[in-house]
Amino acid sequence: MMTHFRIGAAMALALVATAGYAQTDPNAVAQIPTTAFKPVATATSPDKSLVVTIAFDNDGRPTYAVARKGKAILNPGKLGVMFTDAPKIERNLELIGKSTDSSDSSWTQPFGEWKTIRDRHNELTLRFREKAGLKREMDVVFRIFDDGIGFRYNFPDQPNLHQANISDELTEFAFAQNGTAWWKPAYQWNREEYLYNKTSLDAVSTAQTVMTVKLADGTHAALHEAALVDYAAMNLARSEGNTLKASLTPGAGAPKVTRMAPFASPWRTVILSDDAPGLYMSHLELNLNEPNKLGDVSWIKPAKFVGVWWNMIKGDWSWATGPIHGATTANVKKYIDFAAANRIPGVLVEGWNVGWDGDWFGNGNAMQFDQPTPDFDAAELYRYARAKGVHLVGHNETGGSASHYDSQLDRAFSYARDHGIPVVKTGYVTDAGQIERVDADGTKKREWHEGQWMVNHYLRVVQTAAKYKVGIDSHEPVKDTGLRRTYPNWLAREGGRGMEYNSWPGKNPPNHEANMFFTQWLGGPMDFTPGVLSLEGQGGSAILSTEAKQLALYVVIYSPVQMAADTPENYAKHMNAFQFIRDVPVDWSETRVLNGEVGEYVTVARKDRAGDDWYLGSITNEEPRTLNVALDFLDAGRSYTAEVYRDGAGADYRTSARHSIAIEKRVVKKGDTLSLALAPGGGQAIRFAATGQARRR
Amino acid sequence: MMTHFRIGAAMALALVATAGYAQTDPNAVAQIPTTAFKPVATATSPDKSLVVTIAFDNDGRPTYAVARKGKAILNPGKLGVMFTDAPKIERNLELIGKSTDSSDSSWTQPFGEWKTIRDRHNELTLRFREKAGLKREMDVVFRIFDDGIGFRYNFPDQPNLHQANISDELTEFAFAQNGTAWWKPAYQWNREEYLYNKTSLDAVSTAQTVMTVKLADGTHAALHEAALVDYAAMNLARSEGNTLKASLTPGAGAPKVTRMAPFASPWRTVILSDDAPGLYMSHLELNLNEPNKLGDVSWIKPAKFVGVWWNMIKGDWSWATGPIHGATTANVKKYIDFAAANRIPGVLVEGWNVGWDGDWFGNGNAMQFDQPTPDFDAAELYRYARAKGVHLVGHNETGGSASHYDSQLDRAFSYARDHGIPVVKTGYVTDAGQIERVDADGTKKREWHEGQWMVNHYLRVVQTAAKYKVGIDSHEPVKDTGLRRTYPNWLAREGGRGMEYNSWPGKNPPNHEANMFFTQWLGGPMDFTPGVLSLEGQGGSAILSTEAKQLALYVVIYSPVQMAADTPENYAKHMNAFQFIRDVPVDWSETRVLNGEVGEYVTVARKDRAGDDWYLGSITNEEPRTLNVALDFLDAGRSYTAEVYRDGAGADYRTSARHSIAIEKRVVKKGDTLSLALAPGGGQAIRFAATGQARRR
């Protein structure tokens, strides 16, 4: 029985009079035409192309809708929150306050893809209150940019909402059109490391964000969140048709989120663009994060690195001590020599510390983050590296034992500081939902990588590291929601299928990077570890890429800590191509996405922040293609020597010709057009060396 | 970083030797061919058509696969459970015990669709143990029938698994083929009352069960569960492709399930058939429930009823007191007179008790389940009804305040007993996830209708009612998993879109019942409340059905408490058709599904358990069709007078001709063939009156 609430507004009002009912049809939303929504507020983007309309349905449920260039993009979607211990805030609300604001300012990234970021938006804040019952109040704050929107919930402290125990959010994203979606599933065993699905939007199950959609009319949309702090990460569960609903990551048998009011949710974000490149060019995510809270961050030095790693991934060396232990003093010195000889500042060493022996997967309680193994001479390596102008990159693998790591954070980062280690790569290798949390009373719990407790843990690690002037490169992390603006020492993350997958069976397919660029990489820098020029994984198995594509990835992928992942021995066989890896910087003053389609191809141009050189990277999927690019991005009035690393004769990721690479130089200037011929699974990398400028490195 | 676990079994074994690793690729399942699964056990159905194969993957994860008639139906799917406070049981398991059993027995339903139920199956019990770490043990018990399988987890009490706090199940259903799925979404605001989606299997989001699938090769499958007791209801979340994963209904910020070992999960069931009718003919669900625990249940009397209801649903009367209050002594007497005059045993009265005045939606704390309103003379109506050989059907609407109802159960059911009320209709009208639970210490929590706490509440109500010899008809219930076998006084449930939806905007479409029959109704009896012969809802709006279809529903729908939902005034205008409602029984000795396609049409024949008459109901969706049915089900050697109620000239659910009905008689016998002409949105009802037998009623 549904009660006659479902009889629609008019009848219900009649009944209010006659029979004292206050509510209308709980089903109404699903049934009545949009015209039955009562608009109460609208806001537009600075350029007026986006219009957000807030309306009530017949049950007093606030909804929001988004139109772009006069076309409906999002139909009215619900807003609200459910609690474990109180009625949800959703129905029977009234609008009791409305305020607007606008901003047009610029700020500087200490390092990044762009030096200057413009933040131009209009803001609309709505305060809703329950008409009856608990009369709780909830704000919804919208920020409307020319290239998308963000909105968040804001809960003032109030007698009937002091501690919020949130069971889930009711937020909907009700696309007005079907389309094609690129997404990876949520709540599976693996920690975010999936290939992206390409399905019809109305065939999505439950997706992680970033999820990217190309709508029927060609509009591109990216759904994500910004400033994920002290809250559970949001996933997207499709309810029906093209409507997705927020699904917060669970906690260990607790409310998904517990907060004391006042507090705000993360921003729910929708980037909108005419094309795929426009998604990447948006600054919306960074603009919705708080400014730098660390003060002077000049101690953070973006840098490339090599390391004791690929041999373990291939299975030739081990993390554990024993006959094939990788992190020996002798091995590390070889890497230091190689780094120094090639002007690569960093050397990562994995498996250097006590705790790897035995079954550490999902159990890192033996890990000691300041105790090297006997065959790793920390003092000597510190001395040796410093003498050669190289630093070590630290590595703290927790095996998912997050509380155990918490108990050693100060030891771990003071060890790093005392050994000249400016950045530490962390790891949480355990199945999803299997992070070990141990409370003060000794109670053990199992948490998800993206639940509220872990969201707080990852940030705790970053904040503690900052005290010691150490940067963090999180692997098996929570997704990136732009917090590097607020905590610049959160340098990069993994959280996706990186190069390692090219060592094992089930290698990354040629379209992988073109998928990642327009999905996960919209969230922030990824430590993908490109540059395996040997193009060989475990047992000599072939990587599905050309050699030139490996070089192109250094421009396509943004990361302030970019690895040259192959071994010195392998690079020695490819020194001509390796020259590009030596030259390419990791910090940029300008970035332009020149072309691209999700999962097909992309071409990116970036300008060295430390000089006048420009760099270009272009990659394709399994399809060969020729892309003509206008060099309009080059500075006017000067010439450049284009050092071109392109797929050579017959290059093809399916054959040994994957190594076919042509390297040539030509002089170009702004306004010229280049034709980029990309092989199957191929790519092209170009350094535009500003003439008259000395090679910096 | 994924660690090199992903390098496959062979390599991993090598590394076990060299570097002390015990695990292989966590990604292996997704990547390696099925041949990499190591089979450890198989079991077949009694007729050998079904084969279940249990195999380990490279990580020691047990999987199960199902083949039917030599074709793969389910690929290897994972088994296991996650906990909030301990590592999941999934990986690194070994098989330490195996036992088999088989059974071929019959039992009798005290009332139902069939008198005799055959239970023929083979059983395979496997005991798994973790090779390392906690070394926990878990049994998986498979029962293989000729028409499907059930399996459940069994957790023996053990030092490392004494109290189980389950965060979710890992159970997968990995269909080997794509197909068409009929499903309704889970975790939405509404309490199970949705139209069924028809989508490609690989476009399901998160579905409630019963979910029905027609695979590419024509095989029909129904996914559900049996014997849901002291556990959270299972939903199905599609992970990728055609693979669905168990998703247990949440608790109020607690583990989804908390149990003390030893305990068993509900049975996860997959009914398999060549065609849709075969799904309904399966007894698998009932056979996987425990036998009757109530002893003598002769006091349970299946019966039709009319009631003070449709006028409220239409909005002409109110539940609350006031000028249009429905449950007045005078109104109820009219219904009693009508029931008595038409040999209908029961009269439902809603809105008879204190607590309806004011806003009770989601708040039933004012409800008093033994206190009639002043204008409802309980004693007089009890006397009046009994004098006319009629009983009242009780009604307890909780507004979702389940704990408040708990506190009054004995009062409620002693009131029922003392007023000759043999069955009570309960209600839980509040949004999903908004059931109010109040713990002993006064803590308030918000529960889901299908969470563990409510699963226990619903059963507590049924068990308490049984003490007073009262039956329960649960509305806004937990789904039916066959518990009526164990607790026969759990007569019926709603839990779907019943007749009430035909009063309001967004009426049930003509395919609705043909969807329900092959989905939700596979789970058990629904109190659908058919028989609105006026074919009019609120404000005179037209119901999308012909008059003959309304009659057919009394045979198509099984329920021991079947309502004649229309008003006496309306029936008075359709007495010719109403004769069928007077005649049709609610208890059967035999049931046959003669034909049917999900969402299109179905024809059902049932034999009166109290006599020799057979009844037939046939319904179609919006499409007109002619169905030829052989009367092979009739008893041999005797003739029957077929009293046919068929769509008349021009009958059409879209026009006023929806009332066009033809009633005629003809003599038939076993072996004859009848041609059933069904109009758009139409149906046909037939009583086969065994000649020489007196009309019973």
Side-chain angles (χ1 to χ4, degrees):
Chain A
M1 175 243 234
M2 277 289 302
T3 79
H4 65 299
F5 292 172
R6 201 186 293 83
I7 65 185
M11 190 56 165
L13 292 176
L15 284 164
V16 173
T18 56
Y21 288 111
Q23 262 158 311
T24 61
D25 171 5
N27 237 14
V29 172
Q31 320 222 344
I32 55 184
T34 311
T35 53
F37 286 87
K38 191 163 125 290
V40 291
T42 66
T44 63
S45 57
D47 70 358
K48 304 282 189 293
S49 65
L50 293 187
V51 180
V52 176
T53 304
I54 289 78
F56 282 110
D57 70 14
N58 288 339
D59 285 331
R61 281 184 283 220
T63 65
Y64 76 103
V66 178
R68 179 173 184 268
K69 298 182 178 179
K71 265 199 209 146
I73 300 297
L74 293 176
N75 286 334
K78 288 191 202 146
L79 298 165
V81 178
M82 293 176 75
F83 304 95
T84 61
D85 55 357
K88 62 185 175 180
I89 298 180
E90 180 192 32
R91 284 173 187 280
N92 202 24
L93 296 176
E94 62 185 335
L95 183 63
I96 61 167
K98 187 189 331 191
S99 68
T100 62
D101 193 4
S102 68
S103 151
D104 187 357
S105 60
S106 290
W107 56 280
T108 301
Q109 286 204 92
F111 50 88
E113 317 92 307
W114 296 273
K115 183 166 189 183
T116 303
I117 302 272
R118 185 181 183 186
D119 180 356
R120 179 164 174 253
H121 67 262
N122 293 330
E123 184 172 288
L124 171 67
T125 301
L126 301 171
R127 173 154 293 189
F128 297 99
R129 184 172 58 203
E130 293 174 305
K131 290 181 198 159
L134 298 175
K135 303 208 164 184
R136 292 166 297 183
E137 298 183 357
M138 171 180 82
D139 296 347
V140 184
V141 184
F142 290 88
R143 284 207 188 150
I144 301 102
F145 302 78
D146 293 341
D147 56 8
I149 68 159
F151 62 93
R152 81 191 315 173
Y153 301 98
N154 215 321
F155 295 93
D157 192 13
Q158 48 197 305
N160 288 333
L161 184 53
H162 183 54
Q163 174 173 319
N165 296 309
I166 295 174
S167 58
D168 219 334
E169 247 180 57
L170 297 165
T171 312
E172 284 181 342
F173 303 87
F175 280 100
Q177 312 166 34
N178 200 353
T180 302
W182 291 264
W183 57 283
K184 55 183 182 180
Y187 308 140
Q188 304 302 304
W189 66 270
N190 176 312
R191 48 225 149 281
E192 335 303 351
E193 296 171 1
Y194 292 96
L195 294 175
Y196 275 76
N197 295 319
K198 177 184 180 181
T199 72
S200 172
L201 173 57
D202 63 8
V204 171
S205 54
T206 299
Q208 303 180 38
T209 69
V210 180
M211 176 175 124
T212 297
V213 182
K214 182 178 183 178
L215 296 172
D217 71 359
T219 306
H220 285 63
L223 269 54
H224 194 36
E225 60 185 306
L228 172 55
V229 177
D230 199 7
Y231 207 83
M234 177 184 76
N235 302 284
L236 300 169
R238 192 171 58 87
S239 45
E240 292 190 271
N242 301 324
T243 297
L244 304 153
K245 191 177 165 190
S247 174
L248 300 178
T249 303
K256 289 178 171 183
V257 175
T258 295
R259 291 289 293 274
M260 302 304 296
F263 70 96
S265 74
W267 293 94
R268 282 61 187 92
T269 60
V270 186
I271 301 176
L272 294 167
S273 167
D274 290 337
D275 54 23
L279 297 177
Y280 190 92
M281 293 300 289
S282 172
H283 302 322
L284 184 150
E285 289 291 328
L286 285 170
N287 280 329
L288 288 173
N289 276 268
E290 297 297 315
N292 171 19
K293 288 186 175 173
L294 299 183
D296 170 32
V297 290
S298 58
W299 48 271
I300 303 175
K301 301 263 187 280
K304 284 174 288 189
F305 63 101
V306 293
V308 176
W309 179 74
W310 186 244
N311 276 334
M312 274 95 90
I313 297 300
K314 286 196 298 174
D316 303 334
W317 288 358
S318 70
W319 285 269
T321 58
I324 58 169
H325 185 216
T328 63
T329 304
N331 285 343
V332 175
K333 282 189 173 180
K334 286 199 202 104
Y335 276 78
I336 292 172
D337 294 342
F338 177 78
N342 293 286
R343 300 186 303 277
I344 291 177
V347 174
L348 166 71
V349 186
E350 296 200 359
W352 63 276
N353 62 313
V354 169
W356 289 88
D357 300 344
D359 181 9
W360 57 271
F361 178 95
N363 170 29
N365 290 317
M367 293 291 184
Q368 298 301 321
F369 301 104
D370 59 354
Q371 293 179 30
T373 55
D375 52 354
F376 181 89
D377 185 338
E380 166 59 12
L381 286 170
Y382 177 31
R383 183 200 64 73
Y384 189 82
R386 194 171 38 177
K388 299 217 165 196
V390 170
H391 64 258
L392 294 190
V393 172
H395 183 239
N396 294 342
E397 173 55 56
T398 69
S401 297
S403 288
H404 175 71
Y405 189 39
D406 275 326
S407 71
Q408 294 191 33
L409 290 182
D410 283 293
R411 278 165 53 194
F413 296 124
S414 55
Y415 173 91
R417 177 198 54 201
D418 299 345
H419 292 80
I421 296 171
V423 53
V424 171
K425 171 179 173 179
T426 60
Y428 297 84
V429 175
T430 184
D431 283 354
Q434 295 298 290
I435 291 282
E436 185 179 79
R437 161 187 174 182
V438 184
D439 289 344
D441 63 2
T443 310
K444 289 189 176 184
K445 295 177 178 167
R446 291 283 152 171
E447 295 282 355
W448 290 71
H449 287 73
E450 299 211 323
Q452 181 184 17
W453 190 83
M454 278 303 287
V455 163
N456 291 338
H457 167 85
Y458 288 113
L459 185 54
R460 192 160 56 238
V461 169
V462 167
Q463 290 170 315
T464 307
K467 288 192 300 175
Y468 297 88
K469 294 189 162 32
V470 171
I472 294 296
D473 169 15
S474 316
H475 283 229
E476 298 78 53
V478 61
K479 64 189 172 185
D480 194 332
T481 57
L483 282 170
R484 67 190 187 281
R485 178 183 179 185
T486 313
Y487 304 97
N489 69 316
W490 203 337
L491 291 162
R493 317 187 193 206
E494 187 196 37
R497 285 172 59 108
M499 177 62 68
E500 60 188 2
Y501 277 77
N502 288 332
S503 178
W504 307 308
K507 293 179 167 22
N508 295 328
N511 69 356
H512 183 57
E513 295 87 354
N515 275 326
M516 295 286 275
F517 185 86
F518 292 111
T519 51
Q520 179 175 336
W521 297 346
L522 299 177
M526 177 181 179
D527 184 23
F528 186 83
T529 67
V532 175
L533 300 185
S534 60
L535 300 177
E536 281 187 4
Q538 168 222 329
S541 57
I543 294 176
L544 310 180
S545 163
T546 67
E547 199 168 325
K549 183 178 186 176
Q550 289 298 309
L551 301 180
L553 292 176
Y554 285 86
V555 184
V556 170
I557 299 170
Y558 168 67
S559 176
V561 283
Q562 193 77 277
M563 188 178 195
D566 213 338
T567 65
E569 298 72 17
N570 288 337
Y571 282 131
K573 302 174 194 155
H574 302 278
M575 289 311 284
N576 56 348
F578 184 65
Q579 181 60 47
F580 184 82
I581 299 178
R582 292 167 53 128
D583 294 338
V584 67
V586 294
D587 189 18
W588 314 98
S589 56
E590 191 50 60
T591 287
R592 312 268 174 83
V593 181
L594 305 180
N595 57 43
E597 288 288 348
V598 187
E600 297 180 21
Y601 65 94
V602 62
T603 305
V604 183
R606 303 190 194 261
K607 187 177 186 183
D608 182 1
R609 191 180 286 205
D612 298 328
D613 294 356
W614 279 84
Y615 289 78
L616 179 148
S618 185
I619 59 171
T620 181
N621 57 4
E622 62 284 354
E623 297 298 327
R625 69 186 80 232
T626 298
L627 303 168
N628 295 314
V629 298
L631 304 184
D632 302 335
F633 52 86
L634 295 174
D635 300 334
R638 72 184 308 167
S639 69
Y640 297 80
T641 304
E643 301 168 6
V644 178
Y645 300 74
R646 62 173 175 81
D647 291 321
D652 190 322
Y653 76 94
R654 292 163 297 194
T655 72
S656 60
R658 65 182 65 90
H659 281 291
S660 173
I661 185 168
I663 304 173
E664 60 207 10
K665 296 187 182 186
R666 56 183 289 196
V667 175
V668 299
K669 62 178 189 327
K670 180 182 176 71
D672 292 353
T673 295
L674 276 188
S675 179
L676 312 175
L678 309 179
Q684 187 164 150
I686 304 176
R687 174 190 182 213
F688 296 95
T691 50
Q693 171 173 288
R695 184 175 291 265
R696 193 159 39 82
R697 290 176 209 69
Chain B
M1 176 243 233
M2 278 289 300
T3 81
H4 65 298
F5 292 173
R6 199 184 297 81
I7 66 185
M11 189 58 166
L13 292 176
L15 284 164
V16 172
T18 56
Y21 287 110
Q23 262 158 311
T24 62
D25 172 6
N27 237 14
V29 172
Q31 323 231 341
I32 55 182
T34 312
T35 54
F37 287 87
K38 191 163 124 293
V40 292
T42 65
T44 63
S45 56
D47 71 358
K48 304 283 189 292
S49 64
L50 292 187
V51 180
V52 176
T53 304
I54 290 78
F56 281 110
D57 70 14
N58 287 339
D59 284 333
R61 282 184 283 219
T63 66
Y64 76 102
V66 178
R68 180 172 184 270
K69 298 182 179 180
K71 265 200 209 143
I73 300 296
L74 293 176
N75 286 334
K78 288 190 202 145
L79 298 164
V81 178
M82 294 177 73
F83 303 95
T84 62
D85 55 357
K88 62 185 175 180
I89 298 180
E90 179 192 33
R91 284 173 187 281
N92 202 24
L93 297 176
E94 61 186 335
L95 182 63
I96 61 167
K98 184 181 349 184
S99 68
T100 61
D101 193 4
S102 68
S103 152
D104 187 357
S105 60
S106 290
W107 56 280
T108 301
Q109 286 203 93
F111 50 88
E113 316 92 309
W114 296 274
K115 182 165 189 182
T116 303
I117 303 274
R118 184 181 184 186
D119 179 357
R120 179 164 175 252
H121 67 262
N122 292 331
E123 184 172 288
L124 172 67
T125 301
L126 302 171
R127 174 155 293 191
F128 298 100
R129 183 173 58 202
E130 293 174 305
K131 290 181 198 160
L134 298 174
K135 303 207 164 185
R136 292 166 297 184
E137 298 183 357
M138 170 180 83
D139 296 348
V140 184
V141 184
F142 290 87
R143 283 205 189 152
I144 301 101
F145 301 79
D146 293 341
D147 57 8
I149 69 159
F151 62 93
R152 80 192 314 172
Y153 300 99
N154 216 321
F155 295 93
D157 192 12
Q158 47 196 306
N160 288 332
L161 184 53
H162 184 54
Q163 173 173 319
N165 295 309
I166 296 175
S167 58
D168 219 332
E169 247 180 58
L170 297 165
T171 312
E172 284 181 341
F173 303 88
F175 281 100
Q177 311 166 32
N178 200 354
T180 302
W182 289 265
W183 57 284
K184 54 183 181 179
Y187 307 140
Q188 304 303 304
W189 66 270
N190 177 314
R191 49 227 149 280
E192 334 304 350
E193 296 170 3
Y194 292 95
L195 294 175
Y196 274 77
N197 295 320
K198 178 184 179 181
T199 72
S200 172
L201 173 57
D202 63 8
V204 171
S205 55
T206 300
Q208 303 180 39
T209 69
V210 179
M211 177 175 122
T212 297
V213 182
K214 182 178 182 178
L215 296 173
D217 72 358
T219 306
H220 286 62
L223 269 54
H224 193 36
E225 60 186 305
L228 172 56
V229 176
D230 198 6
Y231 207 84
M234 178 183 75
N235 302 285
L236 300 169
R238 192 170 59 86
S239 44
E240 292 190 89
N242 302 324
T243 298
L244 304 152
K245 192 177 165 191
S247 174
L248 300 178
T249 304
K256 289 177 170 183
V257 175
T258 296
R259 291 288 294 274
M260 302 303 297
F263 70 96
S265 74
W267 293 95
R268 281 62 187 93
T269 60
V270 185
I271 301 175
L272 294 168
S273 167
D274 290 337
D275 54 22
L279 296 177
Y280 191 94
M281 293 301 290
S282 172
H283 302 323
L284 184 149
E285 289 291 329
L286 284 170
N287 280 330
L288 288 173
N289 276 268
E290 298 296 316
N292 172 18
K293 288 186 174 174
L294 299 183
D296 170 32
V297 290
S298 57
W299 49 271
I300 303 175
K301 301 264 185 281
K304 285 174 288 188
F305 63 100
V306 293
V308 176
W309 179 73
W310 187 243
N311 276 333
M312 273 96 90
I313 297 300
K314 284 195 300 174
D316 303 335
W317 289 358
S318 69
W319 284 269
T321 58
I324 58 169
H325 186 215
T328 63
T329 304
N331 284 343
V332 174
K333 282 189 173 181
K334 286 199 202 107
Y335 276 78
I336 291 172
D337 294 342
F338 176 78
N342 293 286
R343 300 186 301 278
I344 291 178
V347 174
L348 165 72
V349 186
E350 296 200 0
W352 63 275
N353 63 314
V354 170
W356 289 88
D357 300 345
D359 181 9
W360 57 270
F361 178 96
N363 170 30
N365 289 317
M367 293 291 186
Q368 299 301 322
F369 301 105
D370 60 354
Q371 293 178 31
T373 55
D375 51 354
F376 180 90
D377 185 337
E380 166 58 13
L381 286 170
Y382 177 30
R383 184 201 63 74
Y384 189 82
R386 193 171 40 179
K388 298 216 165 196
V390 171
H391 64 258
L392 294 190
V393 172
H395 184 239
N396 294 343
E397 173 55 54
T398 69
S401 297
S403 289
H404 175 72
Y405 188 41
D406 274 327
S407 71
Q408 295 190 34
L409 289 182
D410 284 292
R411 278 165 54 194
F413 297 125
S414 55
Y415 173 91
R417 177 198 56 202
D418 299 344
H419 292 80
I421 295 172
V423 53
V424 171
K425 172 179 174 180
T426 60
Y428 297 84
V429 176
T430 184
D431 283 354
Q434 295 297 293
I435 292 282
E436 186 179 78
R437 160 187 176 183
V438 185
D439 289 344
D441 63 1
T443 309
K444 288 189 175 182
K445 295 176 178 166
R446 291 283 151 170
E447 295 282 355
W448 291 70
H449 287 73
E450 300 210 322
Q452 182 184 17
W453 189 83
M454 278 303 286
V455 163
N456 291 339
H457 167 85
Y458 288 114
L459 186 54
R460 190 159 58 237
V461 170
V462 166
Q463 290 170 315
T464 307
K467 288 192 301 176
Y468 298 88
K469 294 188 162 32
V470 172
I472 294 296
D473 169 14
S474 315
H475 283 230
E476 298 79 51
V478 61
K479 64 188 173 185
D480 195 331
T481 57
L483 281 170
R484 68 189 187 281
R485 178 183 180 184
T486 313
Y487 305 96
N489 68 317
W490 203 339
L491 292 162
R493 316 186 194 206
E494 187 196 37
R497 285 172 60 110
M499 177 63 68
E500 60 187 1
Y501 277 78
N502 289 333
S503 178
W504 306 308
K507 295 182 168 15
N508 294 328
N511 69 355
H512 183 56
E513 295 88 355
N515 276 327
M516 296 286 275
F517 185 86
F518 292 111
T519 52
Q520 180 175 335
W521 297 345
L522 299 178
M526 178 180 178
D527 183 24
F528 186 83
T529 68
V532 175
L533 300 185
S534 60
L535 301 177
E536 281 187 2
Q538 170 222 329
S541 57
I543 293 175
L544 310 180
S545 164
T546 67
E547 201 168 323
K549 183 177 185 177
Q550 289 297 309
L551 301 181
L553 292 176
Y554 285 86
V555 184
V556 170
I557 299 170
Y558 168 67
S559 176
V561 283
Q562 194 77 280
M563 188 178 195
D566 214 339
T567 64
E569 298 73 16
N570 287 339
Y571 282 131
K573 302 174 194 156
H574 303 277
M575 289 311 284
N576 55 349
F578 184 64
Q579 182 59 47
F580 183 82
I581 299 179
R582 292 166 54 129
D583 293 338
V584 68
V586 294
D587 189 17
W588 313 98
S589 57
E590 192 49 62
T591 288
R592 312 270 175 82
V593 181
L594 304 181
N595 57 42
E597 288 288 348
V598 187
E600 297 179 21
Y601 65 94
V602 62
T603 305
V604 183
R606 304 188 194 262
K607 186 178 186 183
D608 182 1
R609 190 179 289 204
D612 298 328
D613 293 357
W614 280 83
Y615 289 77
L616 179 147
S618 185
I619 59 172
T620 181
N621 56 5
E622 62 285 353
E623 297 298 327
R625 69 186 79 234
T626 298
L627 302 169
N628 295 313
V629 298
L631 304 184
D632 303 335
F633 53 86
L634 294 174
D635 301 335
R638 72 183 306 165
S639 70
Y640 297 80
T641 304
E643 301 168 6
V644 178
Y645 300 74
R646 61 171 176 82
D647 291 322
D652 191 321
Y653 76 93
R654 292 162 298 192
T655 71
S656 59
R658 66 183 64 88
H659 281 291
S660 173
I661 184 168
I663 304 174
E664 59 206 10
K665 297 187 182 187
R666 56 183 288 194
V667 175
V668 298
K669 62 176 186 332
K670 179 182 176 72
D672 292 353
T673 295
L674 277 188
S675 179
L676 312 175
L678 310 179
Q684 187 165 149
I686 305 175
R687 175 190 182 213
F688 296 95
T691 49
Q693 170 173 289
R695 183 176 292 263
R696 190 160 43 82
R697 289 178 210 67

